[in-house]
Amino acid sequence: MVTASDGSTANSFNPKVPRTSEIDLSSLIAAVPDYPKPGILFKDITPLLANGDALTLAIDLLADFFRVTESDAIAGIEARGFILGAAVASALGIGFIPLRKPGKSPRPVHTVRYALEYGEDELQVHRHLLEPGMRIGIIDDVLATGGTAAASIELIEKAQANPVGFACLLELGALGGRERLARRDANMPIHALIVQ
Ligand code: AMP
């Protein structure tokens, strides 16, 4: 919060900063049918990212969540988790750790292989970025079936670090990701800014 010399705050004197209730984040997520393949309703978050007020609000709300979880660093899942995760880490004054797709990390890595709807994928993290006991908050853009989020948690655990929470912009409630993560660890805090 910025405080002016007269003691007022940024929100009280800048009419361009809307109150939270004036921004409908969900209206800034577009649904794209049949992308990247028939039958998938892709959720495009780029309109939200391109709106300065919405982006600021989303980062503030995600940072609030990870402040409560007392994270030492934020891990973001490639690629859209990088955009949100780095901004949240910066807002909290802590570091950012990229969780990457295979073939992108030049130094020794921890690797987790996980099942997709069709086939398999991997997530990797540079070993030197994680120390045992570090409290790590994890961010992605969308929580769908929860397979990617579960793999990211497993990856942090492989390094003997401590995943302390998972947050995303959008949870697709019907796909059961939250329940999948809860079955893994009922105490893991999970937070979505929007549930559809
Ligand atoms: P899941 O592992 O099923 O929870 O899928 C989550 C990951 O896949 C996230 O990294 C998302 O970016 C991406 N994803 C899954 N479903 C969608 C969707 N309908 N729209 C956009 N991204 C999605």
Side-chain angles (χ1 to χ4, degrees):
M1 182 81 74
V2 179
T3 303
S5 54
D6 65 0
S8 63
T9 62
N11 280 337
S12 65
F13 67 76
N14 184 351
K16 286 190 173 168
V17 178
R19 291 193 315 274
T20 301
S21 60
E22 291 173 352
I23 305 174
D24 178 7
L25 293 179
S26 62
S27 70
L28 293 167
I29 295 181
V32 184
D34 298 322
Y35 184 89
K37 53 188 174 190
I40 304 287
L41 185 63
F42 187 85
K43 301 293 185 167
D44 173 23
I45 66 163
T46 58
L48 190 157
L49 297 177
N51 180 309
D53 293 330
L55 179 63
T56 302
L57 174 62
I59 298 304
D60 284 352
L61 294 172
L62 291 167
D64 285 347
F65 171 69
F66 285 112
R67 203 173 280 114
V68 172
T69 65
E70 298 183 347
S71 302
D72 297 320
I74 299 296
I77 301 173
E78 189 167 356
R80 291 180 292 270
F82 289 2
I83 301 166
L84 302 166
V88 169
S90 174
L92 293 172
I94 59 180
F96 174 73
I97 296 175
L99 307 184
R100 304 218 63 180
K101 299 287 167 59
K104 310 270 187 163
S105 303
R107 298 174 66 186
V109 290
H110 294 290
T111 300
V112 165
R113 181 175 284 270
Y114 61 103
L116 297 172
E117 198 177 351
Y118 300 105
E120 289 194 323
D121 208 347
E122 282 180 4
L123 276 181
Q124 299 184 325
V125 65
H126 269 148
R127 285 174 179 255
H128 65 269
L129 298 179
L130 289 164
E131 287 167 18
M134 270 178 86
R135 296 174 61 83
I136 306 296
I138 304 170
I139 290 190
D140 203 358
D141 62 333
V142 173
L143 176 65
T145 66
T148 309
S152 70
I153 292 167
E154 200 181 317
L155 191 60
I156 302 300
E157 288 175 344
K158 254 193 168 175
Q160 295 177 292
N162 183 12
V164 291
F166 175 88
C168 58
L169 277 185
L170 173 64
E171 174 185 348
L172 301 176
L175 298 183
R178 180 180 291 266
E179 292 73 21
R180 178 174 180 163
L181 297 182
R183 278 196 299 277
R184 210 181 170 283
D185 177 357
N187 296 317
M188 164 79 67
I190 300 164
H191 185 53
L193 300 190
I194 304 158
V195 181
Q196 289 183 347

